[in-house]
Amino acid sequence: MTPGVPTLLLLLAGAGTPRGLPHEREAVQKRVAESGRPTSPGAQAPRYEPEDTVESVVSPGGRFRIHFTRQGTHAVPPADADGTGVPDFVELVGRTYEHVATFYVDLGFRLPPDDTNPAGDDGGDGRFDVYLVDFARIGDGAFRQETCLEGVTRCTGFMLQENDFTGYNYPSDAEAVEILASHEFFHAVQAAYRPDLGGVASEGTAVWATERFEPALDDLEHFTRGYMLTPDSTLVLDPAGPGVTFIYGAGLFFQFVGERYGDGALVALLEESVRQPEARWPVLLDTCLRRDFASSFDAAFAQFATWNLGTGPRATPGFGYARGEGYAPVAKTAAELPTTNDRVRVAAAASRIFELPGGASFVGASFEPEPGIDPATVHLVIAAVTDDAVLRVATVDGPDALRAQVAADDATRVMVAVVDGRMEGLGRYGRLCIAATGQAASCAPLESMDAGTDAGSDSGTPDAGADAGTSDAGTVDAGRPVDPIDDPRTPSDDGGCQAAGGPLSGALVALLLGGGLRARRRSRAR
């Protein structure tokens, strides 16, 4: 065989026989679960057929073993242009997973532990295993958790990936494999810390990871709609039913965290999950932000809600996201001037957004929480906008009076957001008032007040280590200006500070997102 060509190992399908009961997350470690690997006759679909001859090849960097067959339903494309004896598609998979793993290591993340298991099926050795199987267009990949080494942490498993992407609406096999490898392998990275942080953190950070790996891929852009359709839904609880698309859209929040605080904040979130094995992910993130960034979950969420006003057609250079033009616009409720709503409800880690006509000299807003409600984590944001830009933004934070205004004579619309930055709790209510100069309303603006700062101006820039925003009416919290030409993959030194749930049908998610099979979604990590 030509030097440098990986050695093929022939493995009989079914060599990994079922052993014991299915693995439970709380089980004591070093006890191997029943083999769920597709080479086992008892594994859940997709799995190889008994008559399939399953081969494997080691990836160029030696970290992965790629399993495949050349026959039947699960056959990989046979093309072998380089004449190595290994199908080109299999070599593509091996190279891509190596590239992804190296990228995550360079960001500071752990990789899955060795899965050597003399007593059970480990795919032949301690390398991470990727099995190429036919998902029959109901998904395109999944990480399957299998064994943990230390209590409920340092878990590993294996990957299932679509064998040929026939019938999938990907531009190319290379892009398909990049998306699958970067997203699904990040679930394996999560499991190397603690795999039970819930769907929002698990899927949200995996969507972020794909965007971080290759911003040209459109996974994050596509999924932002899942969050932006319902920004009034709490971010800190996993939804049920059709709301499952929300957890992929939650990748937008982790994209915000990465852009605002740096990659280190996401690394720290996972590291902190090991130190606090019972804590919920918002508490872990809050710990990291307070310790390392002079910030908090509350402050971060308020700024995230502000950035969300400038996405899609309203993406504005110097305001918010580096690539916000590719993200879905945030949903809002239309209202007229003046307007008063005596009982506006806002959930924990959520925002209620209203849109009103512009053109007035000034538009003001006030929010009065109901008696007995602690206003400390309530924020009021008001922005003057056009159809294609955010002009200026003002924000006020509790516990002081929530009243702000913006100059709006050059604005076509005004957006007002009531934001709750709590990490848990039931919905809270308050009275919202919005009015223009001269209108008979208690919140009518006072022209002597500071009326906000242009969204892209330097005066709206918070310090690198702290979030802007004080209790003074009209204080700008426009976010860290980001030059749209900056490459967010540039390593940041800001840093200081899992995969739960059952399988999710890619076809179901495609239907819910309205994007056809390109919407996909991987079967969720287990």
Side-chain angles (χ1 to χ4, degrees):
M1 181 170 287
T2 305
V5 175
T7 302
L8 293 179
L9 300 182
L10 299 183
L11 303 176
L12 292 178
T17 55
R19 295 173 181 270
L21 297 175
H23 175 71
E24 299 292 337
R25 185 169 287 112
E26 63 269 18
V28 177
Q29 298 326 108
K30 298 186 179 178
R31 181 161 58 90
V32 179
E34 175 183 5
S35 176
R37 295 174 181 246
T39 49
S40 171
Q44 71 180 79
R47 63 178 179 273
Y48 296 113
E49 300 299 329
E51 62 271 18
D52 292 342
T53 298
V54 180
E55 306 171 49
S56 72
V57 60
V58 175
S59 62
R63 293 187 179 111
F64 298 88
R65 182 172 292 281
I66 315 301
H67 303 258
F68 65 98
T69 185
R70 304 174 194 253
Q71 61 200 95
T73 302
H74 303 288
V76 298
D80 180 20
D82 56 4
T84 63
V86 179
D88 297 336
F89 184 83
V90 176
E91 292 178 324
L92 170 67
V93 171
R95 290 194 306 272
T96 304
Y97 274 84
E98 283 287 353
H99 184 193
V100 167
T102 297
F103 184 81
Y104 291 157
V105 167
D106 289 345
L107 289 183
F109 290 104
R110 303 180 186 182
L111 293 184
D114 185 295
D115 76 346
T116 299
N117 178 20
D121 186 2
D122 58 11
D125 56 27
R127 295 180 174 89
F128 190 90
D129 297 289
V130 180
Y131 295 88
L132 304 181
V133 290
D134 180 36
F135 273 82
R137 301 179 67 188
I138 62 170
D140 51 10
F143 166 65
R144 296 280 169 82
Q145 183 182 312
E146 189 175 45
T147 306
C148 299
L149 304 179
E150 300 169 6
V152 293
T153 64
R154 289 189 53 74
C155 301
T156 189
F158 56 91
M159 198 75 67
L160 302 179
Q161 184 181 295
E162 171 64 23
N163 64 314
D164 59 9
F165 297 104
T166 299
Y168 291 78
N169 190 25
Y170 285 102
S172 66
D173 285 347
E175 181 169 319
V177 176
E178 282 187 330
I179 289 175
L180 265 294
S182 57
H183 182 104
E184 293 302 333
F185 187 66
F186 197 74
H187 286 314
V189 170
Q190 294 163 354
Y193 295 88
R194 177 182 139 197
D196 62 348
L197 292 180
V200 165
S202 174
E203 297 299 343
T205 57
V207 170
W208 164 81
T210 292
E211 178 75 3
R212 187 67 177 82
F213 170 69
E214 179 49 76
L217 300 174
D218 68 353
D219 237 31
L220 173 66
E221 288 79 0
H222 188 86
F223 285 120
T224 55
R225 185 169 178 262
Y227 177 84
M228 296 294 249
L229 279 175
T230 57
D232 55 340
S233 297
T234 179
L235 187 72
V236 293
L237 292 177
D238 288 349
V244 74
T245 57
F246 181 86
I247 67 177
Y248 293 99
L252 184 60
F253 175 74
F254 297 100
Q255 177 67 18
F256 160 79
V257 171
E259 288 193 38
R260 176 63 185 85
Y261 301 104
D263 301 325
L266 280 304
V267 175
L269 172 63
L270 295 185
E271 292 288 352
E272 192 64 27
S273 74
V274 178
R275 290 189 284 268
Q276 298 188 57
E278 303 300 324
R280 298 164 54 247
W281 75 263
V283 175
L284 301 174
L285 182 59
D286 185 66
T287 299
C288 299
L289 294 179
R290 289 180 184 277
R291 183 184 67 217
D292 302 324
F293 299 95
S295 187
S296 66
F297 180 87
D298 170 41
F301 188 83
Q303 197 172 39
F304 165 66
T306 304
W307 282 25
N308 290 344
L309 302 182
T311 60
R314 284 181 175 144
T316 304
F319 175 81
Y321 301 104
R323 292 180 172 83
E325 68 278 3
Y327 304 161
V330 69
K332 52 265 179 190
T333 300
E336 297 298 325
L337 289 169
T339 188
T340 300
N341 188 326
D342 290 327
R343 197 165 167 78
V344 171
R345 179 185 184 276
V346 60
S351 58
R352 293 290 306 277
I353 303 171
F354 300 84
E355 188 176 68
L356 308 99
S361 296
F362 295 89
V363 175
S366 66
F367 184 75
E368 302 172 24
E370 288 188 341
I373 290 178
D374 179 6
T377 58
V378 181
H379 311 265
L380 181 64
V381 181
I382 183 168
V385 304
T386 62
D387 292 341
D388 58 5
V390 176
L391 302 179
R392 60 193 63 89
V393 179
T395 184
V396 289
D397 309 317
D400 295 332
L402 296 171
R403 181 171 180 172
Q405 68 180 49
V406 289
D409 55 338
D410 56 348
T412 56
R413 310 294 289 174
V414 172
M415 301 176 74
V416 176
V418 182
V419 183
D420 190 330
R422 291 173 302 154
M423 295 181 285
E424 60 183 350
L426 301 175
R428 300 193 291 183
Y429 295 84
R431 181 179 185 272
L432 176 66
C433 175
I434 311 171
T437 302
Q439 292 182 328
S442 61
C443 59
L446 306 173
E447 295 198 25
S448 61
M449 288 175 59
D450 181 0
T453 301
D454 291 347
S457 72
D458 290 340
S459 59
T461 307
D463 294 337
D467 290 301
T470 72
S471 60
D472 295 335
T475 298
V476 169
D477 188 9
R480 175 176 58 88
V482 179
D483 186 341
I485 67 173
D486 284 349
D487 183 352
R489 291 181 298 171
T490 301
S492 168
D493 58 3
D494 290 344
C497 261
Q498 92 39 207
L504 172 65
S505 164
L508 171 62
V509 175
L511 176 64
L512 295 171
L513 284 177
L517 278 174
R518 186 67 176 91
R520 50 195 180 279
R521 185 68 272 149
R522 275 64 80 178
S523 298
R524 289 181 60 199
R526 297 175 64 86

